[in-house]
Amino acid sequence: MPGTLSASDAFWQQPVTKQIQQQLGQFDPQQQFVVACSGGRDSLSLACALHLLCPGRVRIVHINHQLQAPAAQWASWLAGQCQQWQLPCMIQAVNVAAGNIEAEARKARYQALFGVLQNHEILVLGHHQQDQAETIFLRLMSGSGVKGLSAMQTVEHRNTKRLWRPLLNSSRQQITELATLLCPEYIDDPANEQDNFDRVFLRQQVWPLLKNRWPSMDSTLSRTALLMQDSQDILQEVLAQDWSQCGDATLLNIAALELLSQSRQRLLLSRWMQGAEQYAPAFHLVEAVRHTLLDARQDATPKIEWQGWQFRRYQNQLYRLPKQLDTAQDVQVRWRCGQLLELPTGQWQWQQQQLGFPAQLMQQLFSLRARRGGEVIHVQRRSGHWPLKKCLQEAKIAPWQRAQVHLCAVQDQLLGVFTPQGFWVNQQQVLIKDGWLPCLVSPTMTKTPTTIFKQEAAQDEK
């Protein structure tokens, strides 16, 4: 391999070169690029071509998965070549978790790439036309819908990161011709020959048979991906409209949801259940939510779990909740004016009201106790004592929230109850004018060092 890269006349005539040049027009003339380079033919020829087309604006990142014996040798070889080409190169080693090797390696790779990518840089990937066609085929085999079959996009945004796949419309033959000119030597990973991996099996065993029958299938399937991306864009517009009418990220109104067709219900539920997770839930889980929760009796409280989430129905609403919810625990605290007290029901603060407790009460040691069953309380606008359970039910406080309720007492005198709807004062307590009451300032937990008030155990107070 030559010590330096040079742009010959043949380079400028290459179809891949022309495609990259055309796509570069969409970016700022000074745009910086980071090429994810395994050292294989596709990514290496892409890195070389981009280095020639955008001198001084390209660097390489090589991810060493440490899965094969020669991995360190490959990284060293690539670093040496980049040094000869005066092409900046970073070697990043990662640890791949146990499990599905393909999936875990991909996860570790992207995490590392995004970790080194600067805000002003675009991540460049070497996926080509056959990669796109294989992705569509594999997703067909896994039962993907429109979103999955839209496969990879030429330019993609992932949160604040931008990805670019300039070879997505380039054939393997075209890339091979470019590699012959620029980098005839490259790393040939033996894992690409191990057909226990789905993609390798497809490439070696299935693809030759299909291409013998349909020679242009790579470009045809790539066109399918483009059409699916158009369909996905339309579905996203429909989804946004339905979501705004039915609820938010935490809850959906069942009455509004039932006005939608079954297809739109499935679309909305799938996206709502997914939240910020990388992958959508399986079809049967979406159907379970649709049938089990939507068709349940209004007084029923069914639950379906998926990954770290639970989906529940209560009072004509569907709720998306963490699988592990905080519950009330017995604790004793000193809680003074100006301090935030964080409980499962939310963040609380003393605030002055027309009627409230005397300020001296804030100097006492408060006993906060979880419900045990059978508690009674004398609440406002009710005569006599009432079971706390019945009060919570009539206030339409959800079952999982009832487990977060604390009873608050001082010297065995019940002051009231911390609930998701506010502090219920025990009406047997004597209140004074311009007194102080616990007020719910944030019903959602926001744990930050500046706002959290650490509860002090009783033994620490002694």
Side-chain angles (χ1 to χ4, degrees), residues 267-283:
L267 176 65
L268 176 54
L269 286 172
S270 177
R271 186 64 188 86
W272 179 72
M273 292 171 65
Q274 180 182 357
E277 299 292 337
Q278 184 176 3
Y279 299 108
F283 178 82

Side-chain angles (χ1 to χ4, degrees), residues 352-379:
Q352 202 164 19
Q353 307 290 321
Q354 289 184 347
L355 290 175
F357 299 116
Q360 295 87 333
L361 184 71
M362 289 184 280
Q363 305 303 316
Q364 299 295 318
L365 182 66
F366 295 91
S367 296
L368 307 184
R369 184 172 64 81
R371 293 174 56 223
R372 290 171 173 75
E375 296 90 354
V376 294
I377 186 173
H378 191 163
V379 295

Side-chain angles (χ1 to χ4, degrees), residues 129 136 216-225:
Q129 193 176 74
I136 295 172
S216 61
M217 63 175 293
D218 287 351
S219 60
T220 301
L221 287 176
S222 293
R223 184 169 65 250
T224 297

Side-chain angles (χ1 to χ4, degrees), residues 271-318:
R271 186 64 188 86
W272 179 72
M273 292 171 65
Q274 180 182 357
E277 299 292 337
Q278 184 176 3
Y279 299 108
F283 178 82
H284 75 274
L285 286 168
V286 177
E287 286 294 272
V289 169
R290 203 167 67 84
H291 291 298
T292 305
L293 299 190
L294 292 188
D295 297 340
R297 302 188 320 272
Q298 187 169 354
D299 60 346
T301 58
K303 177 176 66 172
I304 291 175
E305 295 183 346
W306 172 67
Q307 294 197 15
W309 300 94
Q310 58 174 308
F311 306 94
R312 305 184 68 159
R313 172 180 178 144
Y314 182 70
Q315 292 294 325
N316 207 35
Q317 306 274 8
L318 294 184

Side-chain angles (χ1 to χ4, degrees), residues 3 14 72 111 118 127-128 140 177 187 235-236 247 291 315 318 329 334 340 349 403 439 454:
Q14 290 296 311
Q111 185 176 6
Q118 302 298 312
H127 299 118
H128 52 70
L140 274 172
E177 293 173 1
I187 296 170
L235 288 175
Q236 286 300 110
H291 291 298
Q315 292 294 325
L318 294 184
Q329 304 294 327
R334 292 197 185 277
L340 284 179
Q349 193 172 45
C439 291
K454 295 182 179 179

